[in-house]
Amino acid sequence: MAKINDFNFAGKKAIVRVDFNVPLDENGNITDDTRIRGALPTLKKILEDGGSLILMSHMGKPKGKVNEKLSLSQIREAVAKALGRDVKFAPDCANAHEAAKDLKPCEVLLLENLRFYPEEEGKPVGIDKADPAYDEAKKEMKERQKEFAKTLASYADVYVNDAFGTAHRRHASTAVVADYFNEDSKMLGYLMEKEVQAVDNILKDIKRPFTAIMGGSKVSTKIGIIENLMDKVDNLILCGGMTYTFAKAMGGNIGNSICENDKLDLALDIMKKAKEKGVNLVLGTDCVAGNDFSNDSETQICSVMDIPEGWEGMDAGPASREAFKAVIVPAKTILWNGPAGVFEFDKFTAGSRAIADAIVEATNNGAFSLVGGGDSVACVNKFGLADSVSYVSTGGGALLEAIEGKTLPGVAAIEGK
Ligand code: AMP
C-alpha cells in the first residue's frame, strides 16, 4: 500500500475523494468549512509536489438526480480561496474526460456532486425492496456502479481517499474506484490516516485504564458500540438520555424523562454483562430535572430513581458528575461519544462540561482522548476545548462503525483487505 507522505505526485493526476458535504445556508453560503480545511494537508501536498488535482465529493442526498441546490459549484470559490488558486469546474462528473485530460500540473478540477448519479451509491432507484424484481435491479445497478467507478478512475493516475465521513459506505468513489488502480497508485490521505490511527489507539494500542463515555439520547443507537467496548474498557460511563431507560429498568420513577420502553431488558442485560466482564459501569445517580424541554425551564436536582411527575431528567446531577470525573481523570485512554444532557440549552450543559473538563485534565496528564460523533464534537466546540483533547474525529457513522470493530469499506479498498 502506498503512503501519501512518501509519494511524489510530480506530473501525476490525482483523483481525490474528499468530504466537501459542507452545510450551506438558504443563499448557498457555507456555514461551517471544517471539512474543507480538514482536506487541505492532502491537497496542498499533491499541488506542492507538482501534481494536478481532481476533486470529487457528494453533497447532501440528491438521490441520484440533478438538484441545483446541492451543486458543488456553490463551493468552488471557497475551495479556490482555501487552496489559493483557481479551481475549474466539471458540471457532469461522469463526462469530465476532456477537462481531466487538459489539466496541467498544479491545476485543480472540481467534479459536480457524485450523487447526482444513482451509480455512486449503487442502490436501485424507484423500486421497492419488497418487489420481486429488486434483486435483479440491484445486480444491474452494481454493474453500472462498476462502470461509473471505472470512468472516474480513467481521469487520473493516482487515487487518494481522504473522506473519512463516508468511509463506511461501499460507494463508487469511496471504494469501488480503488479496484481500478494498482496498489502503488492508491492511498489514504492525511486526514484518513489520522482518523484510522486514532481508532487504532482506541481499539488496538490501549493504555490503561480505558474509560469510554457514551451519552446522547438513546441506548438503541449505541448498542453495537457499547457491546464492542464491553470487551475492551475498564470503565464505561453511560449518560445522557439513556440514563432514564436504565433507571426505569431498575424500578425507578422517571417522570417525563426520555425512555425507550422496549429496551428495558436490554438495559438490564448490559448491566449483567458489565458485571460478568468486570467492567466498572458508571450510571448517573442524580440529575438536573426540568419541567419544560426548554432553556426557560425551572430546574431541580433529584435522584434518577425518583423524578417527580411533570419533570424530566435533562442533565447529569452533581453527584453523577463527580462519579464520572473520578474515572475519567485517572484514565490513560478515553473515548467520548454523546453528550451527558441537553447541552444545546445552556441550563443543561454542566454534565457535558464536567466530562469535557475531566477529559482535558486527563489529556494534560498524558492520556489519549478521542472525541467523536456529531454532538460530542459540537459540545467540545461549544466549550472551546476542541484543541485541548488528543483528537476530534470528523466521522459520525464511520467512526462509530470503526469502533464497533467493523472494517470500513473505504479503508479496506485501499489496504486490500
Ligand atoms: P445522539 O444523537 O444519540 O448522540 O444524541 C444527542 C442528543 O441527545 C442531543 O441533542 C442532546 O440534546 C440529547 N440528550 C442528551 N441528554 C438528554 C436527555 N436527558 N433528554 C433528552 N435528550 C437528551
Side-chain angles (χ1 to χ4, degrees), residues 4 9 12 14-20 33-57 75-76 78-85 87 105-110 159-163 187-192:
I4 183 162
F9 289 88
K12 304 262 190 220
I15 188 157
V16 187
R17 177 54 158 105
V18 284
D19 181 3
F20 283 173
D33 67 350
T34 310
R35 287 177 171 155
I36 295 178
R37 284 187 284 111
L40 286 181
T42 293
L43 308 186
K44 286 192 169 156
K45 150 83 176 156
I46 296 168
L47 293 170
E48 279 162 17
D49 273 3
S52 48
L53 264 183
I54 301 163
L55 300 173
M56 57 176 174
S57 176
I75 67 161
R76 174 185 181 170
V79 176
K81 206 165 153 205
L83 289 173
R85 67 189 77 206
V87 171
C106 304
E107 286 188 342
V108 185
L109 173 68
L110 173 64
Y159 168 63
V160 182
N161 188 353
D162 212 18
M187 64 204 79
L188 302 178
Y190 287 121
L191 179 64
M192 275 281 257

Side-chain angles (χ1 to χ4, degrees), residues 151-320:
T151 300
L152 296 173
S154 72
Y155 301 154
D157 310 301
V158 187
Y159 168 63
V160 182
N161 188 353
D162 212 18
F164 185 70
T166 47
H168 57 317
R169 308 275 183 226
R170 191 172 160 73
H171 290 172
S173 67
T174 61
V176 186
V177 67
D179 293 345
Y180 301 95
F181 292 88
N182 65 36
E183 62 177 69
D184 302 328
S185 51
K186 55 185 168 191
M187 64 204 79
L188 302 178
Y190 287 121
L191 179 64
M192 275 281 257
E193 279 187 347
K194 270 201 299 188
E195 297 274 1
V196 170
Q197 183 59 51
V199 173
D200 277 357
N201 286 347
I202 291 289
L203 294 186
K204 296 187 186 151
D205 185 19
I206 305 170
K207 309 257 183 314
R208 297 198 176 273
F210 178 7
T211 296
I213 307 127
M214 302 298 298
S217 53
K218 294 177 176 171
V219 65
S220 55
T221 54
K222 307 272 160 97
I223 185 63
I225 184 165
I226 289 173
E227 283 184 338
N228 192 43
L229 286 171
M230 203 82 93
D231 291 322
K232 302 195 163 63
V233 297
D234 302 292
N235 307 296
L236 178 60
I237 298 173
L238 296 180
C239 56
M242 65 179 108
T243 308
Y244 310 97
T245 301
F246 283 85
K248 187 162 179 187
M250 289 187 282
N253 297 317
I254 59 164
N256 287 350
S257 306
I258 186 171
C259 178
E260 290 175 283
N261 284 312
D262 58 337
K263 296 288 177 283
L264 302 180
D265 288 343
L266 179 70
L268 294 177
D269 193 47
I270 290 173
M271 293 171 76
K272 191 168 146 243
K273 276 200 185 131
K275 215 173 190 172
E276 282 165 9
K277 290 177 190 278
V279 171
N280 176 27
L281 182 64
V282 183
L283 289 162
T285 51
D286 62 346
C287 66
V288 183
N291 57 359
D292 182 30
F293 195 79
S294 81
N295 203 33
D296 301 324
S297 166
E298 288 174 42
T299 61
Q300 62 168 302
I301 308 293
C302 50
S303 159
V304 296
M305 299 296 282
D306 197 11
I307 301 173
E309 274 315 307
W311 292 71
E312 62 182 297
M314 288 172 69
D315 195 12
S320 307

